[in-house]
Amino acid sequence: MNADVTRPPAPDATGAPDTTGAPDAARASDGARAPRLVARGAHLAYDRRTVSEAVDADVRDGSFTVIVGPNACGKSTLLRAFARLLKPRSGSVLLDGRELAGVPAKEVARIVGLLPQTSTAPDGITVAELVARGRYPHQGLFRQWTGTDREAVDAALAETDLTELVDVPVDELSGGQRQRVWVAMALAQQTPVLLLDEPTTYLDIAHQYDLLDLFARLHGQGTTVVAVLHDLNQAARYATDLIVMADGDVVATGTPAEVLTEQLVTDVFDLPCVVVPDPVTGSPMVVPRRR
């Protein structure tokens, strides 16, 4: 990787370029808003292995932020820190201006939903039972299962095309079907912030775009969406904001049009390319050159 990659200027108030034909949520950045999630000088590590020495990152309220970068650069680690699953050894990770580690877990779960990269369902649990677990943060001593919970679960099942599979054990499903069940559980949680770690894993290309369209609709309804994606062209099509990582640090932020340049893709991903307008959406499209 070329060491000369630098952070571009911050996005201006006009946001993302027009991407006519793309989902409404990806057409434009919605102007300058205060960050909902913030990492400042966050030292993120697992046992003795440091991933990020002092990472800085902002997620604007109401944005569809996509984190991209090469394998093992710290994308999922940053997402885990935003989900309160990894406490920084130094520095800060904030949710709505509050130190995330100090916010009770159940309160965080009512604000931030997470689709992890890998999940394991209990043996024998059905699709409906697993999706219903997304309502746990809304339960309490004096509030048990209600019609609102049932409506949330039914809506999540319908959005992910799982209504016909509600009584099927999760361990009998294909990998792509299981992934949609986990997405449905996150949707049933009905949080204003949704974190997605490689949500299109195991899915065929049609279901990948179905899900990304779904997340774009949620964003259009006001949900702050943060996703880790590997496909740069999907990231460019759906994101209002991009965060580019390399070697545990953020090296570029901004709208897709600002960030996805031929030089950046070559330097960060070691991929010579040309960047042209997507013929459908007008968003940047990365076309690799022959290596």
Side-chain angles (χ1 to χ4, degrees), residues 37 79 82-83 112-116 193-197 224-227:
L37 290 162
L79 203 73
F82 282 149
V112 179
L114 171 67
L115 176 67
V193 179
L194 185 58
L195 308 181
L196 309 164
D197 196 355
T224 299
V225 179
V226 189

Side-chain angles (χ1 to χ4, degrees), residues 62 106-107 113 132 137 142-143 152-153 159 178 183 208 210 216 235 250 260 273 286 289-290:
K106 202 163 186 179
E107 181 180 346
F142 299 106
R143 187 193 182 283
V153 170
E159 288 275 25
R178 284 196 298 272
V183 170
Q208 288 181 30
D210 285 345
V250 172
L260 284 182
C273 68
V286 177
R289 295 182 183 273
R290 183 171 296 177

Side-chain angles (χ1 to χ4, degrees), residues 59 63-68 75 79 115 194-200 212 215 224-230 235 238-239 241-243:
V59 173
S63 68
F64 192 143
T65 296
V66 177
I67 306 172
V68 298
K75 303 182 299 294
L79 203 73
L115 176 67
L194 185 58
L195 308 181
L196 309 164
D197 196 355
E198 299 185 25
T200 56
L212 290 168
F215 300 141
T224 299
V225 179
V226 189
V228 171
L229 294 178
H230 280 290
Y238 288 91
D241 300 9
L242 285 183
I243 295 175

Side-chain angles (χ1 to χ4, degrees), residues 215-227:
F215 300 141
R217 289 197 300 275
L218 291 173
H219 169 245
Q221 295 163 9
T223 302
T224 299
V225 179
V226 189

Side-chain angles (χ1 to χ4, degrees), residues 184-196:
M185 188 178 79
L187 296 183
Q189 202 170 329
Q190 292 187 324
T191 55
V193 179
L194 185 58
L195 308 181
L196 309 164

